[in-house]
Amino acid sequence: MKVNLKVWRQKNSNTAGKLVEYQLDSISPEMSFLEMFDVLNGELTKKGEEIIAFDHDCREGICGSCSMYINGRAHGPQTGATTCQLHMRSFNDGDTIVVEPWRSRAFPVIKDLMVDRSAFDRVIQAGGYVSVNTGSARDANETPIPRNIADEAMDAAQCIACGACVAACKNASAMLYVAAKVSHLAVLPQGQAESVARAERMVAQMDAEGFGACSFTGACSVECPKSISLDHIARLNREYLGAKLTSTNVQG
Amino acid sequence: MKLESKIPEGPLAEKWSRHKFGLKLVNPSNKRKYDIIVVGTGLAGASAAASLAELGYNVKAFTFHDSPRRAHSIAAQGGINAAKNYQNDGDSIFRLFYDTIKGGDYRAREGNVYRLAEVSVNIIDQCVAQGVPFAREYGGLLANRSFGGAQVSRTFYARGQTGQQLLLGAYSALSRQVTTGKVKLITRTEMLDVVVEGGKARGIVTRNLITGKIESHSAHAVLICTGGYGNVFYLSTNAMNSNVTAAWRAHKRGALFANPCYTQIHPTCIPVKGDYQSKLTLMSESLRNDGRVWVPKTKEDAEKIRKGQLKATDLSEDQRDYFLERRYPSFGNLVPRDVASRNAKYVCDEGRGVASTGLAVYLDFADAIKRDGKKTIEAKYGNLFEMYEKIIDENPYETPMMIYPAVHYTMGGLWVDYNLMTTIPGLYALGEANFSDHGANRLGASALMQGLADGYFVIPYTVGDYLATIGPADKVSVENPTFKEAEQNVISMTERFLTIKGTETVDSFHKRLGHIMWEYCGMSRNAEGLKKAKAMIQDLRKEFWSNVRVMGEGDEMNQSLEHAGRVADFIELGELMVDDALARNESCGGHFREEFQTEEGEALRDDANFTYVAAWQYQGDNKPELLNKESLEFENVKLTQRSYK
Ligand SMILES: Cc1cc2nc3c(=O)[nH]c(=O)nc-3n(C[C@H](O)[C@H](O)[C@H](O)COP(=O)(O)OP(=O)(O)OC[C@H]3O[C@@H](n4cnc5c(N)ncnc54)[C@H](O)[C@@H]3O)c2cc1C
Ligand code: FES
């Protein structure tokens, strides 16, 4: 099949970028979207042009590296899937496909389709953990955790930190990402001791990074490749509002 | 070189506690006087960095990823073993030890493997305390499954995403230490050399992948936790960017590389479809608990299937050959990975393979669905079936899955002693990057266990012994000429890549190397093929260095340049793997030499002559490497022929 691509090219964070057109004539519908980019990059090298930079690694939807905004949608037309899980059979022969990087103040472009998502790490560093040192844990079966609670924690913990939620949100809010982590740890007994301080610190860091406010449109959850539910945002709001009322010491 | 494994004296079960007691300690207030570099922040690196920082050491942790959470460990699906015996089904530390040593075909050290089994129980406690959401029973206690042919249920799992959840646990512990300031986390930065001065590891040279800046970092000790080298085959289940560079450059600075030819081919992967293919996807081995493996009995039927004239479901029971069940009546579809893989290759070589390529066998769930109902099967494997459907566009509830073996894990790696120290004092290797615990074949669910054992429970003790011995003053500044020389080396290599300006892409060289490795040094090997492969790799290497085309500049983000450096190292490693496979005139575990097999076609070990670790020593560019042997002693288990009949 043939495709016309319009791909965002930007040399680095200090220069302006633009969409550049490329044509590919013999693409197999069985190829993955990223394999199509491999083919394009091979052709560019042969022509003596620089390859298109993009993040990718596992190519099976779990590492969260890949991050393309395809025809106006985070990770493209398929729901519940990452860019690397998208195949060319999702497109028609002759289609024009526009590919851009995630757009958010908190995710500056590094080069072409690659963005800097270290803000996500800093949000976790602000409190997304249980404070337990190596070696100080007691026997794992001493604290039974009802299966439905463990399942709920797992639903939230599945987040792959790809940033599609931010890219899909008109306010570029990171609320679903933050809520998923707060929720994962808040429902488990191990995480409860710190749950209030954790929510406060993570939300404060999220604001400091320049993510937008949440207006609860739900676009994040629709575009989330792991289909993480909006319920977690509701829980975060409870934890966080609860925190505001009880906390004596809000640390950024 | 005399290789000292430093396995402690005494009865097996007491070795580790005695050893710990004998190790020197660094007094708590002195720990902050020591700097430790951790390269790699996957399971092994993140757990080590966090634990060392908790103890009070100053840690600098490096990863080429944009975040520690992207490490290849994230992709592990199936689970992690631990000898908890929560199921009361007869498991014990000794049984886990025994299964692991036997599974590795008696090519690992007893002492190391026993320690691994011993600390396995602490790993589960630690992970649960961090909030890892392992699967649970209705009563709230932890659930287990049996995995990879084990006859007890000792595998802990978090749906099909165990690696993800364990890595996120280690990542959270690491993140906490970043906040305390004890860990300095340096991302999108690749280690390109180790600096050795006065016979000790002194630090590393790195390239900032965004700016291209080459920098030196000095420390009292350096830990290589950079994962495995399966991507030497180009196509593998490893993440695309997994590579051998850190370990290989350490090797060229004097660290011995052990058992490079021991690679694991996993039987249940989604088959290759076309030349454009960039990686292979694993379907968890747990599928073999319920799926039945078969191919058509006759070549004629197989050919019709390949041409699309027949469907799998058109064949009646007596037209099918359930070849694993037929050949191994007691283990059936649950034989170890190497056995299952090799048998799939045989039936395809006979012309009975399916899919348009002829390189696939069926994994059929029809009987399991009939027996347990679709719902039960969906609860167990739903996410895997979905993943399969996304890739192949076929519904495995209705038509049998197609699978084929693929490169999955590398048991070889940097040689380390019982303290995880390489042959360079002060340089350690953890996780898949070392060779230590899996012998010639790794059992399912034991790599996650080993990475976390090394990082959480071994290195925090053993590194202290070295640091207490050298003292805080024994450190070299980055201004030292050895650092400058290493930096210069890295800079010249970059310049060399950019000036070749040949005609062939890096990717294309990588693919060609992969073809050679898979064809001659893959699932089964023979002397003639290996010799041929060696010559082909040498030619490829020459061609690479004269005809590769790398666009762009050195002082910017340049993925093609990164890849070129990695492929250059893979080519050199490939040649060593071939040498190692050729020198080992026996079959064991994942290393199958066609000349050495039993009458029934099973791997035939030669214990009299090959019960050793092959540790290769670099001798300089284009010179043959020197083989050193560490002989393996077995005091607690009897070496038997593995039999899964
Ligand atoms: C698909 C798949 C499924 C698996 N499933 C299981 C399973 O169910 N159970 C099991 O026990 N095992 C499983 N394994 C094996 C297991 O996942 C790995 O062996 C293990 O996770 C390796 O961990 P690691 O920490 O050693 O390395 P990795 O997780 O590969 O981490 C390597 C780290 O090193 C960094 N790095 C590498 N080179 C450099 C450099 N030069 N400079 C800077 N940083 C560098 C990377 O950025 C990364 O942070 C599976 C493997 C695969 C491929
Ligand atoms: S490359 Fe890992 S999620 Fe897409």
Side-chain angles (χ1 to χ4, degrees), chain A residues 60, chain B residues 39-45 62-65 67-68 71-81 147 162-163 167 189-192 225-228 237-239 241-243 245-246 279 282 337 408-409 430-433 442-449 451:
Chain A
E60 52 187 66
Chain B
V39 189
T41 49
L43 280 179
F62 295 83
T63 164
F64 66 68
H65 286 100
S67 162
H72 164 62
S73 295
I74 202 96
Q77 303 169 351
I80 177 168
N81 284 334
F147 199 72
T162 315
L167 183 61
T189 299
E190 183 166 29
M191 176 203 127
L192 293 176
C225 315
T226 48
T237 62
N238 288 17
N241 297 312
S242 296
N243 68 84
T245 289
K279 80 154 289 199
L282 173 79
R337 292 175 178 179
H408 180 57
Y409 183 87
L430 284 66
E432 194 174 339
R442 176 179 70 81
L443 288 184
S446 60
L448 301 179
M449 168 171 75

Side-chain angles (χ1 to χ4, degrees), chain A residues 114-134:
Chain A
M114 186 184 273
V115 299
D116 177 357
R117 285 169 287 189
S118 53
F120 268 7
D121 282 333
R122 290 188 293 273
V123 168
I124 298 294
Q125 287 154 15
Y129 45 75
V130 174
S131 298
V132 51
N133 280 359
T134 303

